[in-house]
Amino acid sequence: QLSYAIGVAKPLSLFVETYGTEQGALTSDDITNIIKINFDCRPGAIAQSLALREPKYQETAAYCHFGREPYTQSGIKFFEWENAKDLSKYKAMKTADVSAELKTSTYLTKWVD
């Protein structure tokens, strides 16, 4: 869950509910920090990373928006949101490792904290 304030591009808060499904040594707070490190959730950045400003409405309006194979046609990216980011390196980390990576990351350029 993301929350924003009017006139502020950076999200004010992020809430992650795992319903107890976190695995290994990672806690819900660790998962929240991993999201902050790896994803830029400013509205403009979301639009850019998912290629939302490219005209492709006819293709995406039919047969559902999700669960489709991403492809590029004539330089336009279709279903870019289906290209999952590989976060497997965090699987073996502990809280101290995630905290150390958060401190060295540039997450404050993307998040209000």
Side-chain angles (χ1 to χ4, degrees):
Q1 177 182 17
L2 291 168
S3 68
Y4 296 89
I6 295 171
V8 180
K10 299 176 186 177
L12 296 179
S13 70
L14 168 67
F15 175 74
V16 176
E17 176 58 69
T18 63
Y19 297 101
T21 61
E22 57 270 11
Q23 297 178 4
L26 295 176
T27 65
S28 292
D29 287 339
D30 295 334
I31 294 169
T32 300
N33 288 335
I34 290 167
I35 292 169
K36 286 181 176 182
I37 293 167
N38 288 283
F39 296 97
D40 188 345
C41 288
R42 295 175 292 172
I46 291 171
Q48 184 177 23
S49 69
L50 298 179
L52 297 178
R53 294 196 174 119
E54 295 175 356
K56 54 188 163 224
Y57 305 108
Q58 189 68 33
E59 287 288 326
T60 59
Y63 308 112
C64 192
H65 298 305
F66 300 104
R68 309 232 346 233
E69 196 65 34
Y71 65 92
T72 302
Q73 180 179 329
S74 301
I76 297 175
K77 296 176 183 175
F78 292 86
F79 309 104
E80 186 63 20
W81 49 85
E82 297 291 347
N83 285 323
K85 201 175 234 189
D86 182 16
L87 302 177
S88 59
K89 73 176 187 175
Y90 297 100
K91 193 174 181 179
M93 286 188 175
K94 294 183 170 64
T95 298
D97 302 326
V98 174
S99 296
E101 186 158 337
L102 182 68
K103 287 179 184 173
T104 61
S105 75
T106 60
Y107 84 99
L108 285 176
T109 62
K110 305 178 280 191
W111 297 87
V112 173
D113 217 14

